[in-house]
């Protein structure tokens, strides 16, 4: 089950397995810039000492673009931008598929080799603003879907390492190779495993439409301006974690409910009814026993059902975790197997606790 708690300042998203909290994510609703957003921007200042540039995307602090974040295909991308029509021009956009890609830029090059002051760029946010710092940028534009990531000006197909079988990797590579346009790279995500060519082709066309819409917005846009907005953060989280095994998705906000229902109807129409509005007066995290589980993760002692427990001590330099077999109710006579079982349970609990702690300690983290 996925439980979504929508509050004025942030959204908390909890993933439950058999009622047990296994993942927690918190996202601020007040940030103006989101990872994945694409801007029409202008180079404000070159910093050779940092091998980077400060770029105006409209934020109070200029965004940061390092040379390595230009991406290997920046020469082709830059050439494309020079030919891209702007303003009221009705001229067609240059076709990426018909371009001859230029050689990759030198990975040991300098920022002044590629950029000049006041140069206009399409940039994508890869890290949101923190404190007084502006966003971090890349010019290696990408569009993320449920099954794949589309990368213009690339010819590479990459496959998630979590797809284990060689036969399935070969099948997916062959399918994607047969449908992807020339000069568009693809990263095949884990969720593509077992999917048909029709499903993959449908998503590929959707991502290509995002690219075309971005270019059309860039034609009309003034510098600096947002020209492609990443989908709702909540929908983005759902896209990454959604599984056909989900039984329920509860949310306490009607507007967010509509977004989630629309997305689930798109990717899994047969599961659209699992998205439900939580209507009770009791806070949604309290009702599903999530609040108590979060609080218990901050305690010094964490007990397991078997009687084993861990003690967590926080020092100035590090965290110390002591694993104890305790008064185990199912302990056998084999000391090694008992120790192994206790340590496996401890490892699972420590990982779960770290994920919950990280999400709870920062409203912008995605753990």
């Amino acid at each position: 089950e996925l439980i979504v708690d929508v509050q004025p300042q942030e959204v908390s998203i909890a993933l439950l397995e058999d009622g047990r909290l296994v993942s927690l994510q918190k996202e601020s609703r007040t940030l103006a810039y989101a990872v994945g957003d694409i801007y029409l921007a202008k180079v404000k200042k070159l910093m050779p000492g940092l091998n980077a540039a400060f770029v105006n995307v409209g934020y109070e602090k200029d965004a940061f673009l390092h040379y390595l974040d230009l991406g290997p295909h920046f020469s082709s991308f830059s050439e494309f931008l020079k030919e891209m029509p702007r303003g009221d021009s009705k001229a067609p956009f240059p076709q990426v598929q018909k371009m001859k890609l230029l050689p990759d830029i030198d990975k040991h090059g300098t920022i002044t080799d590629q950029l000049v002051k006041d140069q206009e760029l399409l940039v994508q946010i890869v890290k949101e603003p923190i404190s007084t710092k502006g966003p971090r940028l890349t010019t290696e534009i990408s569009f993320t879907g449920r099954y794949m990531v589309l990368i213009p000006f690339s010819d590479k197909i990459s496959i998630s390492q979590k797809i284990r079988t060689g036969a399935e990797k070969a099948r997916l590579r062959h399918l994607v190779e047969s449908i992807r346009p020339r000069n568009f790279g693809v990263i095949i995500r884990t969720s593509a495993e077992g999917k048909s060519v029709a499903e993959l082709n449908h998503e590929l066309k959707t991502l290509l439409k995002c690219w075309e819409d971005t270019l059309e917005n860039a034609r009309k846009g003034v510098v600096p301006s947002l020209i492609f907005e990443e989908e709702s953060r909540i929908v983005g989280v759902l896209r990454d974690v959604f599984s056909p095994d989900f039984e329920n998705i509860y949310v306490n906000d009607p507007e967010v409910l509509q977004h989630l229902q629309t997305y689930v109807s798109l990717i899994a129409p047969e599961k659209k009814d699992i998205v439900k509005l939580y209507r009770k007066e009791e806070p949604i995290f309290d009702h599903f026993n999530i609040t108590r589980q979060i609080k218990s993760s901050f305690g010094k002692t964490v007990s397991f059902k078997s009687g084993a427990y861990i003690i967590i001590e926080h020092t100035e330099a590090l965290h110390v975790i002591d694993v104890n077999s305790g008064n185990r109710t199912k302990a056998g006579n084999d000391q090694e197997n008992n120790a192994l079982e206790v340590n496996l349970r401890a490892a699972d609990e420590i990982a779960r606790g770290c994920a919950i702690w990280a999400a709870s300690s920062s409203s912008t983290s995605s753990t």
Side-chain angles (χ1 to χ4, degrees):
E1 292 181 319
L2 203 68
I3 314 299
V4 182
D5 181 19
V6 182
Q7 298 297 327
Q9 299 299 318
E10 67 180 13
V11 177
S12 301
I13 305 165
L15 178 63
L16 305 181
E17 290 182 3
D18 297 324
R20 182 169 179 258
L21 179 62
V22 295
S23 175
L24 177 69
Q25 300 194 38
K26 288 193 175 185
E27 299 287 356
S28 171
R29 303 184 74 191
T30 59
L31 291 177
Y33 293 83
V35 171
D37 287 352
I38 299 175
Y39 285 80
L40 181 62
K42 180 179 288 188
V43 176
K44 190 78 170 289
K45 187 177 183 181
L46 298 177
M47 301 292 291
L50 298 175
N51 205 16
F54 286 107
V55 180
N56 180 15
V57 294
Y59 189 60
E60 58 181 331
K61 294 287 185 179
D62 291 331
F64 185 79
L65 176 63
H66 192 271
Y67 177 83
L68 295 178
D69 291 323
L70 293 176
H73 311 291
F74 182 75
S75 294
S76 301
F77 182 49
S78 180
E79 191 65 26
F80 177 88
L81 293 180
K82 291 177 183 178
E83 300 177 11
M84 186 178 72
R86 294 292 308 280
D88 295 329
S89 172
K90 302 298 182 182
F93 287 100
Q95 296 294 308
V96 177
Q97 299 93 318
K98 297 180 180 179
M99 288 181 61
K100 181 179 180 180
L101 296 183
L102 299 175
D104 292 356
I105 64 173
D106 182 1
K107 66 174 64 175
H108 302 295
T110 63
I111 197 73
T112 53
D113 294 335
Q114 303 296 334
L115 299 180
V116 296
K117 187 177 182 298
D118 295 329
Q119 181 176 346
E120 293 186 4
L121 295 171
L122 296 188
V123 295
Q124 189 167 34
I125 294 180
V126 292
K127 189 174 182 180
E128 294 165 338
I130 298 178
S131 184
T132 59
K133 295 183 179 180
R136 181 151 184 170
L137 308 175
T138 181
T139 56
E140 192 169 23
I141 305 297
S142 63
F143 298 90
T144 302
R146 174 153 173 75
Y147 306 130
M148 64 183 74
V149 179
L150 182 71
I151 306 173
F153 308 101
S154 174
D155 54 7
K156 184 178 180 181
I157 296 178
S158 303
I159 303 179
S160 168
Q161 294 300 312
K162 293 183 180 180
I163 299 177
R164 299 296 185 183
T165 64
E168 178 62 5
K169 286 185 176 181
R171 184 188 76 88
L172 288 171
R173 183 179 295 276
H174 176 73
L175 287 182
V176 171
E177 186 63 65
S178 68
I179 61 176
R180 75 175 178 98
R182 183 171 173 266
N183 295 336
F184 281 88
V186 172
I187 299 174
I188 301 172
R189 306 185 72 191
T190 308
S191 53
E193 189 169 9
K195 301 304 176 184
S196 67
V197 65
E199 291 172 295
L200 298 177
N201 192 45
H202 174 74
E203 179 162 282
L204 180 63
K205 288 182 178 179
T206 301
L207 297 178
L208 285 169
K209 181 66 164 54
C210 291
W211 166 245
E212 293 166 1
D213 290 345
T214 299
L215 294 181
E216 191 59 44
N217 292 336
R219 182 208 297 262
K220 303 171 184 176
V222 294
V223 181
S225 61
L226 174 66
I227 57 174
F228 174 81
E229 188 171 9
E230 181 61 286
E231 62 195 3
S232 150
R233 292 162 186 256
I234 306 168
V235 172
V237 171
L238 180 61
R239 177 190 66 201
D240 291 337
V241 305
F242 184 82
S243 165
D245 296 331
F246 275 15
E247 296 176 356
N248 296 293
I249 299 174
Y250 290 103
V251 57
N252 59 354
D253 182 274
E255 183 179 349
V256 175
L257 172 80
Q258 187 63 46
H259 288 308
L260 295 182
Q261 285 179 330
T262 300
Y263 183 72
V264 173
S265 297
L266 178 65
I267 64 172
E270 72 283 0
K271 304 288 286 187
K272 63 181 181 180
D273 293 334
I274 71 172
V275 185
K276 303 169 184 176
L277 181 64
Y278 178 81
R279 301 176 182 273
K280 298 181 180 180
E281 292 186 7
E282 182 184 17
I284 188 170
F285 269 22
D286 290 355
H287 178 78
F288 288 98
N289 199 30
I290 296 168
T291 304
R292 185 191 64 80
Q293 295 187 62
I294 293 174
K295 288 180 178 178
S296 68
S297 297
F298 289 90
K300 178 179 176 180
T301 302
V302 180
S303 300
F304 311 147
K305 289 182 179 179
S306 63
Y309 62 95
I310 58 177
I311 297 176
I312 305 170
E313 295 279 5
H314 174 50
T315 73
E316 186 173 344
L318 51 90
H319 284 78
V320 179
I321 302 175
D322 181 24
V323 181
N324 294 278
S325 58
N327 211 8
R328 295 195 66 229
T329 57
K330 296 182 179 179
N333 295 323
D334 188 332
Q335 182 180 358
E336 289 191 1
N337 283 336
N338 285 337
L340 175 61
E341 183 178 348
V342 169
N343 279 287
L344 287 174
R345 286 176 178 269
D348 178 61
E349 188 65 32
I350 291 166
R352 187 176 77 98
C354 286
I356 295 170
W357 178 85
S360 297
S361 63
S362 172
S363 63
T364 60
S365 68
S366 294
T367 307

